[in-house]
Amino acid sequence: MVTPRQRILLIAAGAFVALGVLGIHAGPSSAGSLQSRLQVSAETALEEAGHAGWAELRLSGQVAYLSGLAPDEAARDEALAEVKSAAWAGGIVAGGITRVHDDIRLAGMPQGAVLSADVSAGRLVLTGFAPDAESRDQIAFTAERLFAGRADVSLRLAPGAAPVGWEAAVRLLLGEVARVETGSARLRGDRMTLFGQAANAQTARSITAEFSRAPGVFQTAALVRQAGSRYSAIIEDGPLCALMAEAALGEHRTGFDAETGAVAPGSRAALARAAAALGQCRGDYAIGVQAPAQAGEDAAARSEAVMAALIEAGVAPDRLRVAAADSAGEARPVFTVFEGAALSEDTPLSENSGEAAPSEDAAGDDEAAEP
């Protein structure tokens, strides 16, 4: 039986709970009021720091989403810091902004995700961009798991709509690049390529088959072989062919002779690999070459020099063009596609169709080990 004293205590406890619920949902500490206060506080901080012109802020409870096109990395970092410190960190009922999602793009940064993966001597070098922080962290975790302390990962954020199947494509890329002895993979837009050398013919065939199972909207191709054998895959898509040529170059930085402007001897083996990749391409298109140039240098002349080296390595001259724009800031040539080149679909880009032309300096070039 409940005594009068117990009844009073129960009534008082019920009233306290009711007031607490009312305070959460209708009082100044309610979720709606709290979000409004945090929004004003963060927007004021951005305006005072001079970022209101480009930064876009959205609040969901105590979680902030910061987006927009930042002029540089310093502005992005400062804006993130301003939002994080706009109010103190707090709990669910009352407090400040507890988390800030970085959805900021940088001027000159590519839309969506671009990745480069290079493997040599059991070590992975993974660089490029990821569409969000969660994806970036997951990629780094997967790379570390596959390469067990031998993965160098450097990824920046480039928020944007990734193609359908992007996460599955990255998992496929990392999983198969872990199986090559040496090689490089490239992902750009909805295309993904892998160029490399496997320990044996069976592994090479398995990697090629797995890589052909494109997730989502992706188009993929792998040119992987055992040393001394030929590539089996044929590439019919122009952009995929161009991306494969870049994968064949790997991390090599193309050098040029200071006096003649020709491709330096130490870069011929890398371009021979690109020629071998181009030799597996078919279709009604030509490949455009954009070569790196520093201030005061002629990018078109360098592109011509790269084309000359590719032709020397076996690429058909009528399948190459100088691209309209240079690739300033790039460490290696970039390949593009000229559609409608009025070429037979049976005509290979390279006459040697998969066998890289020998280079006189190959024996002394550490880039000469041909995947």
Side-chain angles (χ1 to χ4, degrees):
M1 181 177 179
V2 179
T3 66
R5 175 182 171 78
Q6 291 174 327
R7 184 178 296 108
I8 293 173
L9 291 175
L10 288 173
I11 293 174
F16 179 79
V17 171
L19 289 173
V21 172
L22 182 64
I24 292 174
H25 294 283
S29 296
S30 67
S33 298
L34 178 61
Q35 179 174 311
S36 297
R37 292 203 312 274
L38 293 178
Q39 180 88 29
V40 172
S41 178
E43 288 179 346
T44 300
L46 287 172
E47 184 174 0
E48 291 178 349
H51 301 301
W54 62 266
E56 300 175 9
L57 179 69
R58 179 175 66 85
L59 265 292
S60 178
Q62 290 173 247
V63 178
Y65 296 82
L66 193 59
S67 59
L69 182 63
D72 51 47
E73 290 191 44
R76 179 193 63 184
D77 294 342
E78 185 179 6
L80 289 169
E82 290 293 340
V83 172
K84 289 177 182 178
S85 61
W88 64 92
I92 297 176
V93 176
I97 293 174
T98 57
R99 185 177 179 185
V100 180
H101 283 270
D102 179 7
D103 293 330
I104 299 170
R105 290 189 299 112
L106 295 181
M109 185 177 277
Q111 291 285 343
V114 178
L115 287 177
S116 296
D118 299 281
V119 174
S120 179
R123 178 170 292 278
L124 169 71
V125 176
L126 184 64
T127 60
F129 301 86
D132 54 65
E134 183 177 355
S135 297
R136 178 190 60 192
D137 295 343
Q138 184 60 46
I139 292 170
F141 173 80
T142 301
E144 178 61 30
R145 177 176 58 83
L146 290 170
F147 285 86
R150 298 179 64 83
D152 297 326
V153 181
S154 178
L155 299 177
R156 299 166 60 191
L157 294 180
V164 175
W166 184 84
E167 291 185 8
V170 175
R171 288 196 299 270
L172 174 63
L173 180 151
L174 291 175
E176 298 310 310
V177 82
R179 300 172 65 193
V180 300
E181 290 193 325
T182 180
S184 299
R186 297 291 183 268
L187 183 154
R188 180 185 300 145
D190 59 359
R191 263 82 170 181
M192 187 169 69
T193 60
L194 172 59
F195 183 91
Q197 180 175 300
N200 53 65
Q202 181 178 358
T203 301
R205 288 193 297 270
S206 174
I207 293 173
T208 301
E210 289 297 326
F211 218 76
S212 68
R213 296 183 173 91
V217 298
F218 272 83
Q219 297 187 53
T220 60
L223 294 180
V224 181
R225 67 181 182 182
Q226 182 184 17
S229 63
R230 298 173 66 88
Y231 300 112
S232 60
I234 298 298
I235 304 173
E236 298 182 353
D237 176 73
L240 202 59
C241 174
L243 192 60
M244 183 65 80
E246 293 182 30
L249 288 178
E251 295 182 281
H252 182 81
R253 300 173 66 91
T254 305
F256 297 87
D257 187 281
E259 294 184 1
T260 66
V263 171
S267 293
R268 291 176 188 165
L271 287 171
R273 292 199 302 271
L278 294 174
Q280 301 304 116
C281 297
R282 306 288 188 275
D284 191 23
Y285 56 84
I287 294 296
V289 179
Q290 301 172 225
Q294 298 176 351
E297 295 177 336
D298 188 347
R302 285 199 163 188
S303 297
E304 293 280 2
V306 171
M307 288 171 53
L310 291 171
I311 292 169
E312 182 181 352
V315 179
D318 61 347
R319 305 282 324 248
L320 297 174
R321 306 281 191 275
V322 174
D326 66 34
S327 58
E330 293 286 346
R332 56 194 60 81
V334 174
F335 299 94
T336 57
V337 179
F338 288 93
E339 300 286 355
L343 299 168
S344 168
E345 293 186 357
D346 297 326
T347 303
L349 276 172
S350 173
E351 295 174 357
N352 57 27
S353 188
E355 292 296 333
S359 172
E360 295 179 359
D361 63 298
D365 182 7
D366 58 6
E367 291 289 337
E370 182 185 326

